[in-house]
Amino acid sequence: MGLIDKGRAPKPLTWLLNYSRKYSLWMFQWGLACCAIEMGAALASPRYDMMRLGVIPFPASPRQADLVVISGTVTDKMAPAIRRLYEQMPDPKYVISMGSCANCGGPYWDSYSVTKGVDQIIPVDIYVPGCPPRPEALLQAIVMLQAQIQNEGIGNDQLQKRWRGEPVVIDDPHTAPVVLGPKPEPTAVPVV
Amino acid sequence: MSTTEMPSAPDFELERSAMRHLADAQMNVELDTGDMILNLGPQHPATHGTLRLVVRLDGERVIAADPVIGYMHRGYEKLTEFRTYPQITTLINRIDWLSSFANEVPFVHAAEQLMGIEAPARAQYIRTILTELSRIATFVLFLGEMGLQVGALTPAFYGFRDREHVLNLIEGATGGRFHPNFNRIGGLKDDLPWGWVSETRQVMQLVLDSCDQFEDLVVGNEIFLSRTRGIGIIPGDIGTAYGVSGSNLRASGVDWDLRRDGVPYLAYPDLDFKVWTHSAGDSFARYWVRLQETRESVRMVLQLLDGLPAGPVMAKVPRIIKVPEGEAWVETENPLGQMGYYVVSKGATGPFRVKIRSASFSNVSILPWLLRGVYVPDVVTILASLYFILGDIDR
Ligand code: SF4
């Protein structure tokens, strides 16, 4: 992908590339809580049947996936594992956050053990509101993501990073950056 | 509670499997296979969410299994201290998310008991119907899912198909597919919509038909039988000692169902139903018992629809609910087993403390005992047949 690395792909090629990518999304299901059952309904029930949108929901590992759907409550204990599996996915990768819990903590907004939003640890492309969102809502999220993929240029800075796999920094001023691995030594706090 | 004797597996089968195990152990010594630690989860399709199992293996066999829980701990018991009573029902139906309606019932009962209110008869009947519907929704999913875990994909689609039918009914009555939050202290939010009863009758017929389908597809399947028969046997006394409850315990031959044997609640005393048990205690028995219970629930719903009394669905309750000082313990038979709430009130608008006894937590506590000595592929079958919900384990 030399052209893409340089950010200079001819327009028809970009179109073709995006067109093929958007209809062959391999989706890694991250079922965490109640929303996972609705995701299951969207995937497996004959009534919704997500596979007709070109989403293949059965990759055996995150290393084969383009898209991860975080559906359910993210707890502080689970957060490092989510971060780790996200990092294992090949670039370019997309994240859908499904349900109020993954969006912002949902009904557990004041709980001591729940991470208030998965966007504190990984960047999110599409948020699906609801508790739980109906399977139709997840289907629409997929359609929106496909539109987004179709319109992606290759030259744009942020997308360059996405293709090269450089870490995407979450610059949210309200949350401290997530540090994986050994904790840094606490700096001495001046006693007032 | 009565415990029957140990399940009697055919002797020949037992002997053969013992020989197989011996031969296997011998092979492991010869090949010098050391211990291997296998980490299942916290993200693993067989663990229904986020259970993590640390399994020590010798060759293909499990020496020790250690469940690591807490990945779905959402702090319900603490959160209930900061919510008012009506707000808590919104929260607690997310504990066991497959049968949300059934979770609300014991808590609402506890509050009603403390306030000295009783819901009108019609409300009790509708509550019973919706509880049984959520039991059906939970079990048809299990009947399909279990097929998936032994490698058959089709039953899973069937399970989701039937669940959709039942969820439609629940949505029609309550407005919510998943988390209805339909119970109020003193009754229900609304009466049943017009035409709901006849629709329910039709859907119940569909569910009965699909139970027959499951019987043909799964129970009569040679592969399914050989993957589940004699695998993961829980003897009745050991199950009782670990606090296993619900269908898992009844599959071990213990004839105990809170709907019949507990403190009478809802409309169950008026109903005529059979409590199904199986003497084998293996994965197959757990599947079979749930299949029969699905049919039994259908029968119960039909009885309830026939005997549905007229009248209001809400008792007289004050606008602002304050529960007088006191303590109450209410336990019910939920789809996954015995679920209970111990509510301590200090006379405020919210409880002082709520202790939640959830079925799955006790059901999976038997895993270290149960998984010792089984083969790795059977771990998945046993986990699936125990049927737990992570929210119900970690709360
Ligand atoms: S958003 Fe609601 S339904 Fe989804 S996981 Fe959270 S509590 Fe459950």
Side-chain angles (χ1 to χ4, degrees):
Chain A
M1 290 283 167
L3 278 178
I4 290 169
D5 281 349
K6 294 194 196 85
R8 280 188 285 111
K11 234 180 178 173
L13 187 62
T14 311
W15 184 88
L16 188 64
L17 193 64
N18 287 342
Y19 186 77
S20 353
R21 275 196 311 134
K22 81 172 183 181
Y23 287 131
S24 59
L25 285 170
W26 283 61
M27 175 183 144
F28 184 61
Q29 337 169 11
W30 194 303
L32 286 168
C34 345
C35 285
I37 309 294
E38 285 296 65
M39 180 176 70
L43 297 173
S45 88
R47 186 168 163 196
Y48 300 108
D49 185 17
M50 195 191 269
M51 274 186 249
R52 71 199 150 110
L53 297 178
V55 175
I56 301 147
F58 303 113
S61 101
R63 289 170 206 271
Q64 300 163 357
D66 309 308
L67 162 68
V68 59
V69 176
I70 308 281
S71 54
T73 320
V74 181
T75 55
D76 289 348
K77 190 169 176 176
M78 198 66 188
I82 290 186
R83 177 70 182 232
R84 168 103 64 98
L85 264 80
Y86 175 76
E87 281 167 356
Q88 286 177 2
M89 287 167 61
D91 294 289
K93 48 195 169 188
Y94 302 91
V95 180
I96 292 180
S97 146
M98 180 183 183
S100 321
C101 282
N103 293 349
C104 63
Y108 315 100
W109 56 274
D110 53 349
S111 169
Y112 54 85
S113 59
V114 174
T115 309
K116 317 297 181 298
V118 72
D119 49 4
Q120 293 181 16
I121 45 174
I122 58 177
V124 176
D125 289 288
I126 311 263
Y127 297 87
V128 189
C131 181
R134 295 183 61 97
E136 289 97 328
L138 184 59
L139 295 193
Q140 193 188 355
I142 299 275
V143 173
M144 280 166 73
L145 184 69
Q146 284 172 342
Q148 183 189 323
I149 293 175
Q150 180 67 73
N151 292 331
E152 267 178 10
I154 306 271
N156 170 329
D157 233 25
Q158 184 73 14
L159 289 168
Q160 277 276 315
K161 281 186 188 160
R162 191 162 235 171
W163 275 89
R164 289 215 208 98
E166 279 167 23
V168 182
V169 182
I170 314 163
D171 42 0
D172 182 353
H174 301 297
T175 53
V178 180
V179 186
L180 293 179
K183 283 221 175 83
E185 285 295 313
T187 44
V189 181
V191 184
V192 186
Chain B
M1 193 191 302
S2 66
T3 316
T4 53
E5 62 221 77
M6 292 264 290
S8 51
D11 274 345
F12 175 60
E13 265 294 312
L14 209 68
E15 208 169 281
R16 216 171 50 183
S17 80
M19 302 247 298
R20 236 184 12 230
H21 287 182
L22 270 180
D24 221 55
Q26 180 66 29
M27 182 64 95
N28 288 344
V29 172
E30 278 167 17
L31 293 178
D32 189 22
T33 53
D35 285 7
M36 183 183 136
I37 309 266
L38 181 67
N39 186 35
L40 279 179
Q43 214 293 326
H44 189 274
T47 57
H48 295 265
T50 55
L51 178 71
R52 180 170 158 220
L53 269 182
V54 181
V55 187
R56 246 186 49 226
L57 300 174
D58 179 14
E60 270 280 294
R61 295 189 57 204
V62 175
I63 304 175
D66 212 357
V68 183
I69 63 169
Y71 285 97
M72 202 31 65
H73 176 67
R74 304 193 271 195
Y76 282 105
E77 291 189 7
K78 191 72 192 167
L79 287 183
T80 50
E81 293 169 19
F82 299 102
R83 304 277 201 271
T84 63
Y85 283 91
Q87 284 172 341
I88 287 173
T89 52
T90 332
L91 206 60
I92 55 174
N93 57 23
R94 284 149 174 86
I95 292 179
D96 163 14
W97 48 68
L98 281 184
S99 48
S100 314
F101 190 87
N103 291 339
E104 298 170 10
V105 172
F107 178 79
V108 171
H109 265 234
E112 283 172 358
Q113 204 171 311
L114 284 173
M115 292 173 75
I117 317 173
E118 193 161 354
R122 189 175 170 84
Q124 300 280 16
Y125 265 67
I126 298 175
R127 274 182 191 172
T128 323
I129 293 174
L130 288 170
T131 309
E132 288 308 313
L133 283 183
S134 50
R135 190 184 310 272
I136 295 170
T138 312
F139 282 178
V140 289
L141 197 61
F142 165 79
L143 296 175
E145 189 103 322
M146 180 84 185
L148 184 67
Q149 305 291 356
V150 301
L153 197 56
T154 317
F157 293 123
Y158 283 6
F160 270 111
R161 177 198 64 189
D162 301 332
R163 187 179 157 78
E164 265 328 301
H165 293 313
V166 182
L167 285 188
N168 272 354
L169 288 180
I170 296 179
E171 188 182 8
T174 66
R177 260 165 72 83
F178 226 74
H179 297 313
N181 191 28
F182 195 52
N183 274 305
R184 297 287 181 271
I185 290 170
L188 292 172
K189 177 172 165 287
D190 258 326
D191 207 336
L192 293 176
W194 189 82
W196 194 83
V197 172
S198 60
E199 197 183 322
T200 309
R201 284 217 173 85
Q202 285 168 15
V203 171
M204 288 302 106
Q205 194 52 47
L206 282 180
V207 172
L208 275 186
D209 291 347
S210 72
C211 280
D212 295 343
Q213 249 174 4
F214 278 120
E215 186 132 35
D216 283 353
L217 265 181
V218 185
V219 177
N221 186 315
E222 187 93 9
I223 301 172
F224 182 78
L225 289 182
S226 57
R227 285 294 304 276
T228 52
R229 282 243 185 213
I231 306 262
I233 296 178
I234 306 178
D237 48 351
I238 292 190
T240 318
Y242 272 102
V244 175
S245 57
S247 323
N248 290 330
L249 193 62
R250 286 193 286 278
S252 302
V254 182
D255 189 9
W256 182 59
D257 189 324
L258 280 172
R259 286 174 288 178
R260 185 193 63 193
D261 306 330
V263 182
Y265 71 103
L266 294 184
Y268 289 115
D270 309 349
L271 288 180
D272 169 32
F273 62 99
K274 177 171 160 51
V275 176
W276 290 87
T277 57
H278 196 294
S279 59
D282 53 6
S283 302
F284 176 79
R286 292 191 274 279
Y287 189 89
W288 186 85
V289 165
R290 290 210 177 89
L291 182 62
Q292 301 306 333
E293 284 185 356
T294 314
R295 290 185 171 139
E296 202 59 49
S297 293
V298 170
R299 264 167 237 139
M300 283 153 91
V301 170
L302 291 178
Q303 281 181 41
L304 286 161
L305 289 177
D306 289 338
L308 196 62
V313 290
M314 192 72 192
K316 270 231 155 321
V317 281
R319 272 182 74 86
I320 293 176
I321 288 178
K322 274 201 173 153
V323 174
E325 224 165 287
E327 299 173 5
W329 161 252
V330 175
E331 56 182 357
T332 57
E333 181 76 28
N334 271 28
L336 297 179
Q338 173 197 17
M339 178 163 208
Y341 290 86
Y342 186 71
V343 181
V344 182
S345 172
K346 290 261 160 115
T349 51
F352 175 72
R353 173 88 169 86
V354 176
K355 159 82 184 113
I356 305 167
R357 192 268 187 218
S358 62
S360 300
F361 180 73
S362 308
N363 285 355
V364 299
S365 70
I366 202 173
L367 277 180
W369 182 88
L370 189 59
L371 292 183
R372 208 176 301 140
V374 304
Y375 287 96
V376 178
D378 294 341
V379 171
V380 174
T381 335
I382 293 172
L383 286 181
S385 74
L386 273 179
Y387 205 42
F388 45 82
I389 295 296
L390 261 292
D392 207 30
I393 297 176
D394 296 337
R395 300 191 289 279

